[in-house]
Amino acid sequence: DIQMTQSPSSLSAVVEDRVTIACRASRSIKSYLSWYQQKPGKAPQLLIYAASSLQTGVPSRFSGSGSGTDFTLTISSLQPEDFATYYCQQTYSTPLTFGGGTKVEIK
Amino acid sequence: QMQLVESGGGVAQPGRSLRLSCAASGFIFSSYGMYWVRQAPGKGLEWVALISYDGSTTYYADSVKGRFSSSRDNSKNTLFLQMNSLRAEDTAVYYCAKSWGGNSYVMDVWGQGTTVTVSS
Protein backbone atom coordinates (compact mmCIF):
# COMPACT_ATOMS: atom_id res chain seq x y z
CA ASP A 1 0.00 0.00 0.00
CA ILE A 2 1.12 3.56 -0.68
CA GLN A 3 1.31 5.65 2.48
CA MET A 4 0.61 9.38 2.23
CA THR A 5 2.13 11.71 4.82
CA GLN A 6 1.08 15.33 5.14
CA SER A 7 2.87 18.11 6.97
CA PRO A 8 2.21 20.02 9.03
CA SER A 9 -0.85 18.45 10.66
CA SER A 10 -2.05 21.94 11.53
CA LEU A 11 -1.00 25.53 11.01
CA SER A 12 -2.12 28.98 12.08
CA ALA A 13 -2.19 31.81 9.58
CA VAL A 14 -3.74 35.21 8.95
CA VAL A 15 -5.70 36.46 5.96
CA GLU A 16 -3.46 37.17 2.95
CA ASP A 17 -0.71 34.86 4.18
CA ARG A 18 0.93 32.50 1.71
CA VAL A 19 0.33 28.96 2.94
CA THR A 20 2.13 25.80 1.84
CA ILE A 21 1.13 22.25 2.69
CA ALA A 22 3.34 19.27 1.90
CA CYS A 23 2.37 15.72 1.00
CA ARG A 24 4.80 12.83 0.60
CA ALA A 25 4.09 9.41 -0.90
CA SER A 26 5.89 6.28 0.30
CA ARG A 27 6.85 5.50 -3.33
CA SER A 28 6.53 7.21 -6.66
CA ILE A 29 3.01 8.02 -7.76
CA LYS A 30 4.14 10.07 -10.78
CA SER A 31 1.59 12.93 -10.90
CA TYR A 32 -1.36 10.91 -9.65
CA LEU A 33 -2.25 13.16 -6.74
CA SER A 34 -5.37 15.10 -5.79
CA TRP A 35 -6.05 17.71 -3.12
CA TYR A 36 -9.36 18.18 -1.32
CA GLN A 37 -10.71 20.85 1.00
CA GLN A 38 -13.11 19.98 3.80
CA LYS A 39 -14.94 22.45 6.01
CA PRO A 40 -16.48 21.37 9.35
CA GLY A 41 -19.62 19.31 8.91
CA LYS A 42 -19.31 19.34 5.12
CA ALA A 43 -18.20 16.89 2.46
CA PRO A 44 -14.73 17.21 0.93
CA GLN A 45 -14.42 19.21 -2.28
CA LEU A 46 -11.91 18.58 -5.06
CA LEU A 47 -9.38 21.38 -5.51
CA ILE A 48 -6.53 19.95 -7.57
CA TYR A 49 -6.08 16.78 -9.63
CA ALA A 50 -3.11 15.36 -11.50
CA ALA A 51 -0.88 17.19 -9.00
CA SER A 52 -1.28 20.62 -10.57
CA SER A 53 -4.56 20.88 -12.51
CA LEU A 54 -7.11 23.22 -10.97
CA GLN A 55 -10.65 21.85 -10.74
CA THR A 56 -13.25 24.00 -12.50
CA GLY A 57 -14.53 26.75 -10.24
CA VAL A 58 -11.64 26.65 -7.79
CA PRO A 59 -10.01 30.06 -7.24
CA SER A 60 -6.64 30.61 -8.87
CA ARG A 61 -4.99 31.37 -5.52
CA PHE A 62 -4.84 27.58 -5.09
CA SER A 63 -2.05 25.76 -6.88
CA GLY A 64 -0.41 22.38 -6.75
CA SER A 65 3.03 21.16 -7.71
CA GLY A 66 5.29 18.15 -7.51
CA SER A 67 5.73 14.70 -8.95
CA GLY A 68 7.14 11.37 -7.89
CA THR A 69 6.95 11.35 -4.10
CA ASP A 70 6.85 15.02 -3.05
CA PHE A 71 3.94 17.36 -3.60
CA THR A 72 2.83 20.79 -2.44
CA LEU A 73 -0.45 22.65 -2.17
CA THR A 74 -0.05 26.42 -2.06
CA ILE A 75 -2.61 29.08 -1.22
CA SER A 76 -1.07 32.30 -2.48
CA SER A 77 -3.18 34.69 -0.42
CA LEU A 78 -5.27 33.07 2.29
CA GLN A 79 -8.90 34.18 2.39
CA PRO A 80 -11.39 33.81 5.27
CA GLU A 81 -13.25 31.04 3.43
CA ASP A 82 -10.04 29.01 3.12
CA PHE A 83 -9.87 28.07 6.79
CA ALA A 84 -10.50 24.34 6.53
CA THR A 85 -8.78 20.96 6.53
CA TYR A 86 -6.89 19.88 3.43
CA TYR A 87 -6.25 16.30 2.35
CA CYS A 88 -4.03 14.83 -0.34
CA GLN A 89 -4.97 11.54 -2.01
CA GLN A 90 -2.95 9.29 -4.26
CA THR A 91 -4.86 8.29 -7.37
CA TYR A 92 -2.15 5.93 -8.64
CA SER A 93 -3.36 2.58 -7.41
CA THR A 94 -5.72 0.75 -5.09
CA PRO A 95 -6.01 0.76 -2.17
CA LEU A 96 -6.62 4.47 -2.54
CA THR A 97 -5.07 6.36 0.34
CA PHE A 98 -5.36 9.83 1.83
CA GLY A 99 -2.96 11.87 3.85
CA GLY A 100 -3.83 12.54 7.47
CA GLY A 101 -4.97 16.08 6.76
CA THR A 102 -3.73 19.60 7.46
CA LYS A 103 -5.98 21.90 9.45
CA VAL A 104 -5.57 25.56 8.54
CA GLU A 105 -6.67 27.73 11.45
CA ILE A 106 -6.96 31.44 12.09
CA LYS A 107 -4.04 32.95 13.98
CA GLN B 1 -26.15 20.25 -11.42
CA MET B 2 -24.50 17.02 -10.41
CA GLN B 3 -25.75 15.77 -7.07
CA LEU B 4 -25.32 12.76 -4.81
CA VAL B 5 -27.61 12.10 -1.86
CA GLU B 6 -26.82 9.33 0.63
CA SER B 7 -29.35 7.64 2.88
CA GLY B 8 -29.70 4.58 5.06
CA GLY B 9 -27.43 5.50 7.93
CA GLY B 10 -28.42 4.95 11.53
CA VAL B 11 -27.59 3.03 14.66
CA ALA B 12 -26.82 -0.69 14.46
CA GLN B 13 -25.61 -3.19 17.00
CA PRO B 14 -22.27 -4.91 16.49
CA GLY B 15 -22.63 -7.88 14.17
CA ARG B 16 -25.75 -6.52 12.48
CA SER B 17 -26.17 -5.12 8.97
CA LEU B 18 -27.02 -1.84 7.28
CA ARG B 19 -27.52 -0.90 3.64
CA LEU B 20 -26.58 2.55 2.45
CA SER B 21 -27.92 4.12 -0.73
CA CYS B 22 -26.62 6.97 -2.85
CA ALA B 23 -29.00 8.59 -5.33
CA ALA B 24 -27.33 10.34 -8.26
CA SER B 25 -28.66 13.08 -10.51
CA GLY B 26 -27.40 15.64 -12.99
CA PHE B 27 -24.98 13.34 -14.84
CA ILE B 28 -24.99 10.07 -16.77
CA PHE B 29 -24.63 7.78 -13.78
CA SER B 30 -24.02 4.67 -15.86
CA SER B 31 -20.86 6.18 -17.35
CA TYR B 32 -18.88 6.70 -14.15
CA GLY B 33 -17.18 4.65 -11.51
CA MET B 34 -18.27 5.42 -7.98
CA TYR B 35 -16.66 5.39 -4.54
CA TRP B 36 -17.48 5.06 -0.89
CA VAL B 37 -15.30 6.98 1.55
CA ARG B 38 -15.78 7.18 5.31
CA GLN B 39 -14.68 9.47 8.09
CA ALA B 40 -14.67 8.34 11.71
CA PRO B 41 -15.50 11.02 14.29
CA GLY B 42 -12.65 13.53 14.49
CA LYS B 43 -10.51 11.52 12.06
CA GLY B 44 -9.38 11.75 8.46
CA LEU B 45 -10.75 10.30 5.26
CA GLU B 46 -10.61 6.55 4.55
CA TRP B 47 -11.43 5.03 1.18
CA VAL B 48 -13.83 2.09 1.55
CA ALA B 49 -14.84 0.81 -1.88
CA LEU B 50 -14.97 1.53 -5.56
CA ILE B 51 -17.23 0.10 -8.23
CA SER B 52 -16.82 0.38 -11.97
CA TYR B 53 -19.34 2.15 -14.19
CA ASP B 54 -21.13 -1.10 -15.03
CA GLY B 55 -20.75 -2.78 -11.65
CA SER B 56 -18.55 -5.54 -13.05
CA THR B 57 -15.49 -4.61 -11.00
CA THR B 58 -15.23 -3.75 -7.33
CA TYR B 59 -12.34 -3.08 -4.98
CA TYR B 60 -12.42 -2.81 -1.20
CA ALA B 61 -10.22 -1.61 1.60
CA ASP B 62 -8.76 -4.45 3.63
CA SER B 63 -10.62 -3.13 6.69
CA VAL B 64 -14.00 -3.97 5.11
CA LYS B 65 -13.16 -6.76 2.67
CA GLY B 66 -15.46 -9.75 3.10
CA ARG B 67 -17.95 -7.72 5.15
CA PHE B 68 -18.99 -4.86 2.86
CA SER B 69 -20.26 -5.10 -0.69
CA SER B 70 -20.94 -2.34 -3.18
CA SER B 71 -23.41 -2.59 -6.04
CA ARG B 72 -25.32 -0.28 -8.33
CA ASP B 73 -28.59 -0.06 -10.21
CA ASN B 74 -27.90 2.04 -13.29
CA SER B 75 -31.58 1.98 -14.25
CA LYS B 76 -32.35 3.82 -11.02
CA ASN B 77 -29.17 5.93 -10.82
CA THR B 78 -28.45 4.48 -7.40
CA LEU B 79 -25.35 3.18 -5.67
CA PHE B 80 -25.45 0.83 -2.69
CA LEU B 81 -23.18 -0.26 0.13
CA GLN B 82 -24.21 -3.41 1.97
CA MET B 83 -22.49 -3.48 5.34
CA ASN B 84 -22.53 -6.79 7.22
CA SER B 85 -20.93 -7.92 10.47
CA LEU B 86 -20.65 -4.33 11.61
CA ARG B 87 -18.02 -3.40 14.18
CA ALA B 88 -17.63 -0.42 16.48
CA GLU B 89 -14.75 0.78 14.29
CA ASP B 90 -17.14 1.10 11.33
CA THR B 91 -18.75 4.09 13.08
CA ALA B 92 -18.29 7.00 10.67
CA VAL B 93 -19.86 9.37 8.22
CA TYR B 94 -20.08 7.54 4.90
CA TYR B 95 -19.77 9.54 1.70
CA CYS B 96 -20.40 8.42 -1.84
CA ALA B 97 -18.38 10.12 -4.55
CA LYS B 98 -18.27 10.16 -8.33
CA SER B 99 -15.20 9.35 -10.37
CA TRP B 100 -13.82 12.22 -12.41
CA GLY B 101 -13.79 9.95 -15.43
CA GLY B 102 -11.89 7.43 -17.48
CA ASN B 103 -9.53 5.31 -15.41
CA SER B 104 -9.07 8.14 -12.97
CA TYR B 105 -9.33 7.59 -9.24
CA VAL B 106 -10.14 11.26 -8.69
CA MET B 107 -13.36 11.99 -6.78
CA ASP B 108 -14.93 15.11 -8.25
CA VAL B 109 -18.44 15.14 -6.76
CA TRP B 110 -19.33 14.10 -3.21
CA GLY B 111 -22.58 13.56 -1.36
CA GLN B 112 -23.33 15.19 1.97
CA GLY B 113 -22.75 11.95 3.87
CA THR B 114 -24.81 9.64 6.05
CA THR B 115 -23.87 8.74 9.62
CA VAL B 116 -23.46 5.14 10.75
CA THR B 117 -23.11 4.41 14.44
CA VAL B 118 -22.30 0.89 15.60
CA SER B 119 -23.03 0.48 19.27
CA SER B 120 -24.70 -1.95 21.62
Side-chain angles (χ1 to χ4, degrees):
Chain A
D1 299 3
I2 299 173
Q3 309 304 318
M4 305 300 295
T5 303
Q6 281 182 242
S7 61
S9 56
S10 66
L11 65 89
S12 296
V14 299
V15 173
E16 297 186 358
D17 270 357
R18 181 181 181 88
V19 169
T20 299
I21 298 168
C23 177
R24 173 166 288 178
S26 59
R27 61 180 174 92
S28 177
I29 57 170
K30 300 182 181 180
S31 295
Y32 291 94
L33 185 98
S34 293
W35 289 97
Y36 300 87
Q37 177 194 67
Q38 186 179 34
K39 297 180 180 179
K42 300 295 186 181
Q45 289 191 302
L46 177 66
L47 296 176
I48 302 278
Y49 61 94
S52 60
S53 296
L54 200 64
Q55 171 69 344
T56 302
V58 174
S60 59
R61 62 181 179 273
F62 291 93
S63 64
S65 63
S67 66
T69 60
D70 292 300
F71 302 86
T72 300
L73 174 69
T74 299
I75 310 172
S76 59
S77 177
L78 196 68
Q79 297 301 300
E81 60 268 30
D82 301 336
F83 291 95
T85 300
Y86 295 84
Y87 294 93
C88 62
Q89 178 220 345
Q90 62 86 10
T91 59
Y92 184 76
S93 65
T94 59
L96 304 177
T97 45
F98 292 88
T102 296
K103 186 174 184 179
V104 177
E105 299 176 299
I106 301 172
K107 184 182 284 184
Chain B
Q1 73 283 15
M2 293 182 283
Q3 189 173 14
L4 298 170
V5 179
E6 301 94 337
S7 60
V11 180
Q13 293 181 325
R16 302 301 291 259
S17 299
L18 276 178
R19 190 192 198 202
L20 305 184
S21 299
C22 169
S25 59
F27 64 98
I28 303 173
F29 180 70
S30 59
S31 294
Y32 294 92
M34 297 292 295
Y35 306 90
W36 290 98
V37 175
R38 69 184 180 183
Q39 187 169 35
K43 302 297 184 182
L45 302 172
E46 179 189 16
W47 167 72
V48 172
L50 85 84
I51 184 168
S52 61
Y53 70 98
D54 60 356
S56 63
T57 303
T58 52
Y59 296 100
Y60 300 95
D62 284 347
S63 57
V64 306
K65 200 173 294 181
R67 301 188 298 122
F68 289 13
S69 175
S70 186
S71 61
R72 62 193 296 161
D73 185 340
N74 284 346
S75 69
K76 296 183 179 178
N77 292 343
T78 304
L79 173 71
F80 302 102
L81 184 67
Q82 178 67 43
M83 304 187 296
N84 300 330
S85 302
L86 283 164
R87 304 169 179 168
E89 54 265 36
D90 296 320
T91 294
V93 175
Y94 285 74
Y95 297 101
C96 62
K98 168 188 165 291
S99 180
W100 184 72
N103 292 322
S104 157
Y105 291 137
V106 178
M107 305 172 192
D108 68 340
V109 180
W110 295 64
Q112 85 288 350
T114 188
T115 300
V116 171
T117 302
V118 183
S119 173
S120 54

